[in-house]
Amino acid sequence: MAPGRRERLTRARVVDAAMTLADDGGLDGLSMRRLAEHLGVVPMALYRHVADKHELLDAMIDRVFAELTDPVDPDWARALRARAQSMRGALTRHPWAIGRMETGTPGPANLAHHNAVMGCLRAGARLPFWDAVHASSLLDSYVYGFALQDRTLAGDIPAEAARRREVVVADGPAALDAYPYLVEVADQLGRHGYDFAQEFEIGLDLVLDAIRGLRPVGETAVEGAGGPASREPGPAGG
Amino acid sequence: MAPGRRERLTRARVVDAAMTLADDGGLDGLSMRRLAEHLGVVPMALYRHVADKHELLDAMIDRVFAELTDPVDPDWARALRARAQSMRGALTRHPWAIGRMETGTPGPANLAHHNAVMGCLRAGARLPFWDAVHASSLLDSYVYGFALQDRTLAGDIPAEAARRREVVVADGPAALDAYPYLVEVADQLGRHGYDFAQEFEIGLDLVLDAIRGLRPVGETAVEGAGGPASREPGPAGG
DNA sequence: CCGAGTTGTGTACGGCGTACACCTGTCGCG
DNA sequence: CGCGACAGGTGTACGCCGTACACAACTCGG
């Protein structure tokens, strides 16, 4: 075997392999020992490159943020839409990430993303500071929340609808009458299917419209719009 | 010691204790062994009342759904608002639940909740079936997503803002220029504080307004509004 | 009072994260 | 070329974890 019969371990290689393992097998399937084996190395070797499992997870999260596209669209709404879509894509590829996106120490890609969103809202949409905060909160909440639901129900929806129906029925003979609206949902979804991507778009449109509604109508331009500058008091006193 | 010198173990008692442990200490702090000790019992005793840890978690989740209030307000928007607020309250009390609300087999309280929401939208707001689905998806996504962010940032916001600023600065001397909008956020939040409850209300209003916008204006009543009945094709062929 | 079934116990196994001491391969420098 | 230092990989070990399995003790209908 030539010089270095095995590729030297790197922090990057460790994080890469960890993401691969998590992508198929979930976070439960990711153990330091399995990760080490996957890399052809003894478990403790990993600790030369990450402080502990927690730090590894933080690094993985920032990798997810790093996958987000950075659109240059001058239309702020289109740019936000692209960011939201790219976030949903990343969270669909890495469902294990959802519960931890805003946990732990934020990495640089995380910071860059949130900075860019605020930039869209402040400089692009010309929103006053606190309106931009509200908009950012609403948008993030929607995207994260949607991904959260998407994640679990992402499988075969007609089958899942049928299964849910079984659950309801198992609850007792009168259950079908107790949950009439759920029965309708199960029936319709079973019949017509359900496209998460399209559902996401519909909600995203509603959210973006709501953000548009924050803009003072007839606003034209000028005034501190080029950069950050607060103009109003906070929403409350903490 | 009288008959049964120690209260008999019950599934309910097990789930209760598990929620207490999870409420302070998070899911990581909840182990079958600690739970058993907390109940003054040997670990394996728990397995007479829950099949395994997974089933225990499912039961805990349905307990969270069971905490939701069931408002009787005839105004559908007020009812939805109350439900959303009560969901946020429950998720704030039990932050460990957020990532698992829609995972695993849904329990009866879960079913009842979603059935009630669809009921509000179909019978109350008189939305066509697919609009009700969109509205439900949007509302749930917002509430879950908000809770997800709330959970991690729930601490002392000014301190957190300062910490974030440190993180940014640590990134390099030019970082403050690289993330101007984040710096603004950190400064403003540090100065004025941040009230999650109020932020939630603001976003919730926007979401409810958006849902109101789904209603055909001038709609008056009648037609299948009293109960489920599909009127349109699905959003896509899934 | 007894026998059966339910409920709690003891022991044990394999897997986990990781502390700590050790070996080894690599490279700068004389 | 030789060697010393040091970063990077290893081996062993500890204390947790979830839980399978066989057994003991309590409860209760007959």
Side-chain angles (χ1 to χ4, degrees):
Chain A
M1 329 267 175
R5 67 184 220 284
R6 192 175 57 208
E7 194 69 29
R8 203 90 167 274
L9 216 47
T10 327
R11 186 180 167 93
R13 289 219 311 136
V14 171
V15 178
D16 276 351
M19 293 191 67
T20 304
L21 248 63
D23 285 346
D24 49 54
L27 277 196
D28 291 347
L30 172 66
S31 76
M32 297 301 272
R33 294 170 122 98
R34 259 212 278 274
L35 177 54
E37 191 181 22
H38 186 78
L39 287 162
V41 113
V42 91
M44 286 311 292
L46 304 172
Y47 288 86
R48 299 281 175 195
H49 305 275
V50 297
D52 53 18
K53 192 174 185 179
H54 221 86
E55 205 212 64
L56 172 61
L57 289 177
D58 280 0
M60 292 165 69
I61 291 299
D62 211 54
R63 278 291 183 76
V64 175
F65 275 104
E67 286 186 12
L68 303 185
T69 61
D70 191 15
V72 290
D73 200 315
D75 179 322
W76 64 269
R78 277 211 306 269
L80 283 183
R81 164 184 295 281
R83 279 184 196 281
Q85 286 166 333
S86 120
M87 175 76 89
R88 181 179 116 82
L91 290 177
T92 303
R93 284 191 297 278
H94 312 298
W96 47 265
I98 298 172
R100 310 185 166 252
M101 293 298 279
E102 303 294 338
T103 317
T105 306
N110 178 335
L111 296 173
H113 169 74
H114 285 106
N115 184 71
V117 169
M118 277 304 280
C120 273
L121 293 165
R122 297 284 280 129
R126 300 183 187 284
L127 287 184
F129 175 76
W130 289 105
D131 280 347
V133 169
H134 303 328
S136 169
S137 164
L138 172 60
L139 190 55
D140 268 8
S141 293
Y142 173 68
V143 174
Y144 285 144
F146 191 94
L148 199 67
Q149 298 184 263
D150 186 348
R151 174 184 59 154
T152 54
L153 301 148
D156 180 5
I157 275 291
E160 178 65 12
R163 200 177 67 80
R164 297 268 164 138
R165 210 188 156 127
E166 292 308 314
V167 171
V168 171
V169 172
D171 218 42
L176 278 183
D177 295 335
Y179 306 129
Y181 299 102
L182 282 193
V183 170
E184 180 184 31
V185 171
D187 285 348
Q188 291 296 315
L189 264 49
R191 197 173 349 255
H192 302 291
Y194 188 66
D195 183 340
F196 274 101
Q198 189 167 344
E199 186 69 60
F200 180 70
E201 296 296 311
I202 294 171
L204 186 54
D205 277 336
L206 293 174
V207 166
L208 289 175
D209 281 350
I211 292 176
R212 245 184 292 267
L214 290 175
R215 280 188 4 141
V217 298
E219 154 109 26
T220 44
V222 196
E223 73 153 321
S230 111
R231 305 205 299 260
E232 306 169 23
Chain B
M1 336 263 174
R5 67 184 219 284
R6 193 176 57 209
E7 195 68 29
R8 241 357 222 296
L9 217 49
T10 323
R11 186 181 168 92
R13 289 218 312 137
V14 170
V15 178
D16 276 350
M19 292 191 70
T20 303
L21 248 65
D23 284 347
D24 48 55
L27 276 196
D28 291 347
L30 171 67
S31 76
M32 298 301 272
R33 295 170 122 100
R34 260 211 277 272
L35 178 54
E37 190 181 21
H38 186 78
L39 288 163
V41 112
V42 92
M44 286 311 291
L46 303 172
Y47 289 86
R48 298 283 175 196
H49 304 274
V50 297
D52 54 19
K53 192 174 185 179
H54 220 87
E55 204 212 64
L56 172 60
L57 289 176
D58 280 359
M60 293 166 67
I61 291 299
D62 211 53
R63 279 290 183 76
V64 176
F65 275 105
E67 286 185 13
L68 303 185
T69 60
D70 191 14
V72 290
D73 201 315
D75 180 323
W76 63 270
R78 277 209 305 269
L80 284 183
R81 164 184 294 279
R83 279 185 195 282
Q85 285 166 332
S86 122
M87 175 76 90
R88 180 178 116 83
L91 290 178
T92 303
R93 283 191 298 280
H94 312 297
W96 47 265
I98 298 172
R100 306 184 169 255
M101 293 298 279
E102 304 294 338
T103 318
T105 306
N110 178 335
L111 297 172
H113 169 75
H114 285 106
N115 184 72
V117 168
M118 277 305 279
C120 272
L121 294 164
R122 296 285 280 129
R126 299 184 187 286
L127 288 183
F129 174 76
W130 289 106
D131 282 347
V133 169
H134 302 328
S136 168
S137 164
L138 172 60
L139 190 56
D140 269 7
S141 293
Y142 173 68
V143 175
Y144 286 143
F146 191 94
L148 199 68
Q149 299 184 262
D150 187 348
R151 175 182 59 153
T152 54
L153 301 148
D156 180 5
I157 275 290
E160 178 66 13
R163 200 177 66 78
R164 297 269 165 139
R165 210 188 156 128
E166 292 309 313
V167 171
V168 171
V169 171
D171 219 41
L176 279 183
D177 295 334
Y179 306 130
Y181 298 102
L182 282 193
V183 170
E184 180 184 32
V185 170
D187 286 346
Q188 292 296 314
L189 264 50
R191 199 177 341 258
H192 302 291
Y194 188 66
D195 184 339
F196 274 103
Q198 189 168 343
E199 187 69 61
F200 180 69
E201 296 296 310
I202 293 170
L204 185 55
D205 277 336
L206 292 173
V207 166
L208 288 175
D209 280 350
I211 291 175
R212 246 185 291 269
L214 290 173
R215 282 195 352 148
V217 299
E219 154 108 24
T220 44
V222 196
E223 75 153 320
S230 110
R231 307 207 297 260
E232 308 170 21

